[in-house]
Amino acid sequence: MSLIELILTEAEFVAQQCPKPSDSVLEQAIDGSLTGIVTYIKLANGQYHTLSRYEEDEWVFPSSKGTKASRANALKLNFAIISDAQMKRMAKWVLWNKMKEGLAVASLKTALSHINKYFQWVLSTDTTAAHGLTAFTSNAYVKFVNTLTLKRKGETKPLAKGTKAYKFLTLEDLYRYCKAFDFVKEHPWSDSSASEQAGMVGEIHKVARNKPKTPIIPDEVLIPLSQFTKSYLDRADEILVLAKQKESLLLRDSCIFWLLLATGMRIHEVLGIKRDAYRPDTKDDITYYYIETVSEKKHTGLAEWIAPEIATKAIDILGRLSAPLQEQLERDLVKAQASSDHAEVHRLKEISGHICLSKSKKTNKISLLSGITITERRLPNLCKQIGSDWNLSAHQFRRTFANYAVHSELGDLRALKEHFKHWSITMTALYAFNDELDADLFEELLREKYLVEEEIKQDWFELDTPIMGGALADNIKKVREDGEQLEIFGSRKEMARAYSSSIPIRSMGTGWCTNDECICGQPDTCESGIVDKRHLPYWEDLLVQQMELMHLDDIGEAGRESARKGMERCEKVLSSLGIDVEAMKQKISQREKIEVPNV
């Protein structure tokens, strides 16, 4: 094809563009007759330059679809690597659908690589090729992938669970998009998922959507509770000197509150903490702590949790509170040993050194504080102190912790973020390389991460949810307004799951990025970016900054012009999210004592 033939007028381009996926288009994809332009560049004069067509074996993407550091080869999909004609047609159809859904080029290349490797495995035996995609052959592929290894730094290791999951997602993609092809016979694992097959989250992920969930402590309860209990930790020295029983009990309960909230421990694990049972560690100028305690979930009985400094402060205070009880315990131990009361000696030795000791009013014996007492009496009493009727219990803290930690990792602006920021920095790496850390908590965090991400993505597909950004945001808007698509999936929730299941998200502060390799930092204009109402606080703060800059006398014309453009950018985003910008500027003016600048 000559260069002249590649240049098209708008009318020619519309006529030759590859049609969007539909049942009739699918029939053409199956028989190999589907044609049309798939990638192009729009020229300044309004004409179009064709880069590649559906029927070609190589699809070339414009540089704008990659990052600034992308090499030319990173902007190409080469279907010639697939030798079988029908398999090549399936690969093209899967990639075309994913492309129309807004998947980034790097992710498309990864998907093609996994499809090709799967087809190579299929073609390695005549039997597998003849059977096609079935539950039986899918199970065989799982077993094969589990035998694969990777060599790094001279060491041979099995594939990571995440890598396996992406390989298994390929089979789900083939089933989702290519059910009409003869090769695809049935779902690869109807009662499971790619993540479960890879061993990422186990049974807990499969039942997560249908399982009754432990409630998350709502912010309107958690924030005043945190403020109330933190005030007791701050006054610990004074309370310990006065030694008033009511105040001392509230101080003890406040410490337990913070250990539950800031670590994700179960109540029996908090009650199993001993004096000085933590150690500091510093990485990249950030200090965090490991707390060791007993856990019924570990065969050794001991496990570690990552914790912020406030948790270690709570341990120290509880140690001081329990010091008189520890002294009595040691006296009782001497007496038990003298009387050869072996059962009592054993009992006292087991609880010696713990920070959550208590004394029975009836028997005057020292014992560990009861988890039932904390859950049924002391935690509800904390709620009474702030005038709340929330039915607070110990098991709610674990999921609340997971939810806050995940929101912190995703860059969400939430109260108490400083107590969870260490998770976004260290959680994945530390849990990957430390077998002593509580694996169940990590699985809880992963489950919560899936739930939170699914909630975020489902919001994007709701008609009344304002979103803005680049091409992906525009595609989502089109999909959610498509009545035919909604009818196919049955509900907007299921449609959101189907379209967003393979979209990764990470926080850019001012928005979400769905391209793992993107570094532009401008989700409001990037083709892979999405901004939703969760980011309003960021954009309001940016607007305040620009308003302040506009009133500075020493920034020169260039600085003033930059501030003006910044104002326009903020106003565009805020308006797209349904905000009355002029009203917001007036509120900012009154609150910050800044005049609204004339732009």
Side-chain angles (χ1 to χ4, degrees):
M1 189 181 294
S2 69
L3 182 61
I4 296 175
E5 292 174 310
L6 293 175
I7 304 298
L8 305 172
T9 64
E10 185 169 359
E12 291 170 334
F13 169 77
V14 171
Q16 295 185 38
Q17 196 172 14
C18 189
K20 67 179 182 180
S22 68
D23 288 343
S24 59
V25 175
L26 173 58
E27 291 176 6
Q28 297 176 51
I30 293 172
D31 65 27
S33 63
L34 183 59
T35 63
I37 299 168
V38 289
T39 60
Y40 58 89
I41 297 173
K42 188 174 182 179
L43 306 176
N45 61 7
Q47 292 183 313
Y48 292 81
H49 174 65
T50 304
L51 293 178
S52 48
R53 299 176 60 87
Y54 188 93
E55 62 268 30
E56 295 171 345
D57 278 350
E58 188 177 79
W59 294 358
V60 180
F61 292 80
S63 58
S64 60
K65 296 294 183 182
T67 65
K68 290 181 179 179
S70 293
R71 296 178 179 177
N73 194 50
L75 297 169
K76 295 177 182 178
L77 295 180
N78 180 19
F79 294 98
I81 58 176
I82 302 174
S83 58
D84 181 88
Q86 181 186 207
M87 291 177 177
K88 185 186 294 185
R89 291 198 289 269
M90 283 190 286
K92 282 189 175 183
W93 184 244
V94 169
L95 271 295
W96 175 239
N97 275 272
K98 284 181 168 291
M99 179 180 162
K100 296 304 288 182
E101 291 168 10
L103 204 65
V105 179
S107 299
L108 291 173
K109 283 184 71 67
T110 300
L112 177 57
S113 174
H114 287 313
I115 289 174
N116 176 49
K117 288 174 182 176
Y118 169 67
F119 284 149
Q120 285 179 346
W121 173 82
V122 169
L123 294 171
S124 64
T125 64
D126 293 338
T127 305
T128 309
H131 279 85
L133 196 158
T134 66
F136 177 81
T137 58
S138 298
N139 183 54
Y141 186 61
V142 170
K143 291 179 179 178
F144 166 74
V145 170
N146 285 334
T147 68
L148 299 178
T149 57
L150 188 66
K151 214 169 202 178
R152 279 187 180 171
K153 296 181 180 179
E155 285 186 74
T156 301
K157 296 182 178 181
L159 296 185
K161 292 177 180 179
T163 303
K164 292 180 183 180
Y166 276 117
K167 287 181 175 292
F168 301 151
L169 277 169
T170 295
L171 279 62
E172 293 185 4
D173 285 339
L174 285 168
Y175 177 77
R176 175 185 166 194
Y177 298 113
C178 300
K179 282 183 282 189
F181 285 77
D182 292 338
F183 177 84
V184 179
K185 305 294 195 302
E186 57 187 6
H187 195 286
W189 29 73
S190 57
D191 293 324
S192 183
S193 67
S195 296
E196 186 180 353
Q197 293 295 321
M200 287 184 71
V201 289
E203 183 71 10
I204 195 167
H205 181 229
K206 185 171 74 173
V207 300
R209 293 190 180 105
N210 301 317
K211 180 181 176 182
K213 299 180 183 71
T214 299
I216 294 169
I217 305 169
D219 285 354
E220 59 268 25
V221 175
L222 187 60
I223 293 172
L225 267 177
S226 300
Q227 292 168 338
F228 175 79
T229 54
K230 180 66 162 52
S231 71
Y232 270 79
L233 268 66
D234 292 339
R235 294 192 298 113
D237 290 341
E238 171 194 338
I239 294 170
L240 286 164
V241 169
L242 294 174
K244 292 182 179 178
Q245 185 180 16
K246 182 181 178 182
E247 291 287 277
S248 295
L249 283 175
L250 284 172
L251 175 60
R252 182 197 68 185
D253 298 343
S254 297
C255 289
I256 292 173
F257 171 95
W258 276 101
L259 282 168
L260 288 167
L261 179 62
T263 66
M265 289 184 186
R266 302 174 182 86
I267 185 61
H268 82 268
E269 292 156 351
V270 169
L271 299 179
I273 298 174
K274 292 186 176 182
R275 284 175 172 77
D276 303 320
Y278 62 85
R279 58 185 175 86
D281 196 2
T282 302
K283 276 185 171 45
D284 299 326
D285 297 326
I286 299 171
T287 300
Y288 52 92
Y289 300 84
Y290 288 111
I291 298 177
E292 182 183 83
T293 183
V294 294
S295 175
E296 294 174 358
K297 299 292 183 178
K298 290 275 286 187
H299 69 278
T300 61
L302 293 176
E304 288 186 323
W305 281 259
I306 308 167
E309 186 176 7
I310 193 170
T312 66
K313 183 178 181 180
I315 290 174
D316 291 341
I317 293 170
L318 286 170
R320 293 166 65 189
L321 272 170
S322 64
L325 298 178
Q326 177 65 29
E327 290 173 3
Q328 181 182 327
L329 183 152
E330 290 168 2
R331 292 194 297 270
D332 292 347
L333 179 58
V334 171
K335 292 178 183 177
Q337 288 170 330
S339 62
S340 297
D341 188 343
H342 301 299
E344 183 66 357
V345 168
H346 177 77
R347 188 188 73 83
L348 291 172
K349 282 185 175 180
E350 284 293 301
I351 64 174
S352 179
H354 284 73
I355 59 175
C356 292
L357 298 175
S358 67
K359 182 164 68 172
S360 169
K361 290 181 180 179
K362 292 182 180 179
T363 64
N364 204 38
K365 281 188 174 183
I366 304 299
S367 63
L368 273 186
L369 192 60
S370 164
I372 295 174
T373 298
I374 294 295
T375 293
E376 294 185 357
R377 292 173 51 196
R378 301 310 305 173
L379 291 178
N381 181 62
L382 285 178
C383 283
K384 289 180 183 177
Q385 302 301 313
I386 62 165
S388 170
D389 60 358
W390 178 260
N391 187 24
L392 185 65
S393 60
H395 68 277
Q396 295 170 9
F397 283 86
R398 191 169 173 86
R399 184 165 180 234
T400 302
F401 167 84
N403 188 267
Y404 266 75
V406 167
H407 276 285
S408 178
E409 185 181 6
L410 292 173
D412 196 0
L413 278 177
R414 298 191 60 162
L416 313 176
K417 186 182 176 186
E418 67 271 18
H419 301 300
F420 296 96
K421 64 186 177 184
H422 61 288
W423 283 93
S424 61
I425 299 165
T426 64
M427 178 181 70
T428 304
L430 291 177
Y431 268 87
F433 295 105
N434 191 335
D435 291 336
E436 295 305 313
L437 290 169
D438 182 37
D440 283 348
L441 177 58
F442 189 48
E443 187 161 303
E444 182 78 20
L445 285 155
L446 284 176
R447 185 175 75 88
E448 196 64 31
K449 184 177 174 71
Y450 286 124
L451 293 171
V452 171
E453 287 189 353
E454 186 175 89
E455 178 187 339
I456 291 168
K457 293 172 184 177
Q458 283 178 5
D459 282 350
W460 295 347
F461 284 83
E462 293 296 330
L463 282 172
D464 59 351
T465 299
I467 62 172
M468 64 90 63
L472 181 59
D474 292 338
N475 286 339
I476 289 174
K477 290 177 188 177
K478 290 175 184 176
V479 168
R480 68 186 189 181
E481 293 169 359
D482 190 330
E484 291 182 10
Q485 289 292 320
L486 184 58
E487 190 173 328
I488 290 171
F489 289 105
S491 71
R492 208 168 291 280
K493 186 175 182 179
E494 290 303 318
M495 183 169 73
R497 279 182 182 169
Y499 277 99
S500 64
S501 59
S502 61
I503 298 176
I505 61 171
R506 57 189 172 93
S507 174
M508 302 297 292
T510 53
W512 305 112
C513 184
T514 62
N515 183 347
D516 286 335
E517 296 186 0
C518 181
I519 56 173
C520 74
Q522 296 185 316
D524 52 315
T525 55
C526 176
E527 68 158 11
S528 302
I530 293 180
V531 182
D532 60 31
K533 281 203 168 184
R534 289 174 174 82
H535 305 104
L536 282 175
Y538 292 94
W539 288 98
E540 182 175 355
D541 287 347
L542 285 174
L543 184 62
V544 172
Q545 291 175 12
Q546 303 310 311
M547 288 175 66
E548 290 174 340
L549 284 172
M550 291 290 287
H551 287 289
L552 295 179
D553 297 327
D554 57 353
I555 61 174
E557 276 307 310
R560 197 175 302 281
E561 177 63 16
S562 177
R564 186 188 65 77
K565 288 181 179 178
M567 283 273 291
E568 290 178 352
R569 181 188 177 201
C570 292
E571 290 175 2
K572 180 182 178 182
V573 172
L574 291 166
S575 296
S576 298
L577 296 179
I579 300 300
D580 184 335
V581 177
E582 292 306 316
M584 176 178 278
K585 286 197 282 190
Q586 291 298 330
K587 286 182 181 178
I588 292 171
S589 175
Q590 295 171 10
R591 185 181 72 228
E592 307 291 339
K593 309 301 181 187
I594 309 170
E595 287 186 24
V596 178
N598 295 318
V599 181

